[in-house]
Amino acid sequence: MAFSKKKWLWLAFSILFFLGFSYWLIGKIQYRLHVMDVEAYEPVSTLKVPEHLLTQAKYPFVDVHNHQFTMPIQNLDKLVAEMDELNMAVMVNLSGFRGKYLEWSLDNVNKKYSDRFVLFMNIDFEKLDDEGWPENTLDIMENAVNMGAKGLKVYKSLGLTDKDNDGNRIRVDDPRLDPIWAKCGELGIPVLIHTGEPAAFWLPKDKYNERWLELKQYPSRYKDPENNPSFEEVMAEQHNIFRKHPKTKFIAAHLGWFGNDLTRLGKILDEMPNVYTELGAVLAELGRQPITARNWLIQYQDRVLMGKDSYNKQEYYTYFRVLETYDEYFDYYRKRHAHWKMYGLGLPDPVLQKIYYKNALKLIPGIDASLFEEVVD
């Protein structure tokens, strides 16, 4: 069938349109292929300012938030050598667990380094409906302290994923757990408790979320509000136990997840004198607000402890630089926690000493004070 002149023109126009669209689309694809992913973008700053690259703390310090999961069989010589290079006098291993595992860990530590490590125990909260609760767990706790454990570490699973025998979420302030918190007060040991996650993990995973990169790299960290208790709910549960057990000392891990709102954290500390906090994995929150953070740490110098969380020798250097210097505009060590730059706080020496070791000496039993005797106040 012969094409009319009009059809030939429409065919020609369609071909030209297709070719033009294809050219435009190819250009867009090429552009996209050359767009650098935020994970790969590592600009080198042209800023010229004084730098103080510290590799050792000014004062010996106690790291109250560390995890050494292989301590029963670990060769501790290398670790202690690195601690000496950092000026870390004492490491608190929060992953001491309980029973034989704790016993083996303490045996390994006590061979050569009984003064350099402190172990916290861990218990199983999902047993709260089992026969023998809480007596069996209280016995485990007392035995752990008799063996040498100096505190209780509570993981974030309590309040988020731990379930009772009916499959219900165990609230942090579940009354069935009250004997545990009371026992810690009776034994004179602190509770270092990690509740919840950064509030941004509950927010939409979009361009406005400052923890977007972390949620991209670790999708399981996203807290879908449809399937999880809210941030405010779990934090309120934590604060309820602080209020209910004033004779027990609590250390709210990770600045209580309020490093981005120090005014609110200050109100919590003002209300509850049995609560302390630590810096594990949240230094980036302080380093981006140097004026506010410096003033806050001076005001609450008796309530804050040094902590790192996951062990990496080189990453401590950023802690020293933020806490001790006035350096400007330098990188944090983990982009998913901070795509922003750090600024030094230049804390006064008396404040540094309290954060580095004095507060820990008052709060955690059994730390060898002689390790700090050479410090000049």
Side-chain angles (χ1 to χ4, degrees):
M1 179 178 176
F3 275 77
S4 67
K5 185 177 180 179
K6 187 176 181 179
K7 287 183 178 179
W8 278 111
L9 287 174
W10 271 110
L11 179 61
F13 176 78
S14 298
I15 292 172
L16 288 173
F17 177 80
F18 174 78
L19 292 174
F21 177 77
S22 299
Y23 181 80
W24 174 84
L25 184 60
I26 290 170
K28 284 291 184 180
I29 293 173
Q30 289 177 330
Y31 176 78
R32 291 292 297 173
L33 289 174
H34 286 87
V35 172
M36 189 177 298
D37 188 277
V38 66
E39 293 174 85
Y41 185 52
E42 297 284 353
V44 177
S45 175
T46 60
L47 183 67
K48 304 300 180 185
V49 290
E51 294 183 328
H52 303 85
L53 306 179
L54 305 182
T55 60
Q56 186 178 84
K58 186 173 185 178
Y59 299 104
F61 67 94
V62 179
D63 181 352
V64 305
H65 191 146
N66 213 290
H67 298 281
Q68 299 291 324
F69 295 102
T70 61
M71 189 156 274
I73 58 172
Q74 190 171 346
N75 185 334
L76 298 176
D77 294 339
K78 180 178 182 295
L79 179 58
V80 171
E82 291 186 352
M83 290 166 59
D84 290 340
E85 292 170 0
L86 293 167
N87 205 12
M88 185 195 303
V90 176
M91 175 186 287
V92 178
N93 178 17
L94 299 178
S95 302
F97 297 102
R98 55 191 172 271
K100 280 296 182 182
Y101 190 100
L102 175 62
E103 180 182 343
W104 295 334
S105 293
L106 288 166
D107 286 346
N108 190 26
V109 164
N110 291 335
K111 288 176 183 176
K112 294 172 65 176
Y113 300 114
S114 59
D115 59 339
R116 303 299 300 276
F117 295 97
V118 168
L119 272 70
F120 277 32
M121 73 180 105
N122 316 117
I123 62 176
D124 186 354
F125 293 99
E126 291 190 322
K127 291 186 178 294
L128 84 175
D129 280 333
D130 292 358
E131 185 178 351
W133 178 275
E135 288 77 15
N136 291 345
T137 297
L138 297 178
D139 287 344
I140 289 172
M141 294 171 63
E142 192 158 348
N143 290 335
V145 170
N146 290 335
M147 281 193 289
K150 304 301 182 183
L152 171 67
K153 165 62 165 73
V154 180
Y155 288 96
K156 61 186 175 183
S157 55
L158 179 64
L160 290 177
T161 59
D162 281 355
K163 301 287 200 309
D164 63 17
N165 288 355
D166 294 324
N168 299 314
R169 179 182 73 92
I170 302 175
R171 295 169 55 95
V172 184
D173 59 355
D174 190 307
R176 292 171 290 184
L177 302 180
D178 282 339
I180 304 301
W181 317 128
K183 186 67 172 180
C184 290
E186 176 189 324
L187 293 171
I189 58 172
V191 179
L192 195 150
I193 179 168
H194 175 167
T195 299
E197 292 281 48
F201 285 6
W202 276 264
L203 299 177
K205 294 182 287 184
D206 57 23
K207 65 181 182 180
Y208 302 109
N209 191 326
E210 66 181 3
R211 301 300 283 264
W212 174 88
L213 179 58
E214 184 165 3
L215 295 175
K216 175 181 180 290
Q217 293 177 342
Y218 295 90
S220 63
R221 295 184 182 179
Y222 174 61
K223 303 302 176 190
D224 186 342
E226 296 294 325
N227 304 315
N228 293 274
S230 71
F231 173 80
E232 292 295 339
E233 184 177 0
V234 292
M235 300 315 299
E237 292 170 7
Q238 183 195 67
H239 302 160
N240 286 342
I241 66 167
F242 294 166
R243 295 186 186 95
K244 193 172 184 179
H245 298 276
K247 294 182 180 180
T248 300
K249 303 294 186 183
F250 292 93
I251 305 170
H254 311 298
L255 288 173
W257 295 127
F258 292 114
N260 62 326
D261 189 350
L262 293 175
T263 298
R264 185 174 179 184
L265 179 56
K267 290 178 179 178
I268 293 168
L269 298 181
D270 290 341
E271 178 191 351
M272 294 170 273
N274 60 322
V275 178
Y276 300 77
T277 192
E278 53 87 24
L279 308 179
V282 288
L283 181 74
E285 297 288 4
L286 302 180
R288 65 171 167 172
Q289 49 176 332
I291 297 173
T292 298
R294 186 179 195 274
N295 291 337
W296 190 90
L297 286 170
I298 291 173
Q299 181 177 355
Y300 293 97
Q301 59 186 273
D302 296 315
R303 310 289 289 279
V304 183
L305 300 98
M306 173 67 172
K308 168 66 179 64
D309 204 349
S310 61
Y311 180 79
N312 182 302
K313 178 187 172 186
Q314 285 72 32
E315 291 175 354
Y316 285 90
Y317 303 165
T318 305
Y319 275 76
F320 307 152
R321 195 175 181 189
V322 168
L323 296 175
E324 298 181 22
T325 80
Y326 282 111
D327 283 5
E328 300 176 282
Y329 199 80
F330 55 93
D331 289 329
Y332 187 63
Y333 55 80
R334 188 168 295 132
K335 186 186 292 187
R336 66 175 176 267
H337 286 176
H339 56 81
W340 51 81
K341 299 292 185 177
M342 298 290 100
Y343 295 84
L345 310 183
L347 293 175
D349 286 353
V351 178
L352 280 174
Q353 290 175 333
K354 287 182 179 180
I355 293 173
Y356 275 159
Y357 70 92
K358 286 187 175 181
N359 293 339
L361 285 175
K362 293 178 180 178
L363 188 60
I364 301 173
I367 295 179
D368 185 354
S370 69
L371 296 170
F372 308 92
E373 286 178 353
E374 295 181 4
V375 175
V376 179
D377 290 330

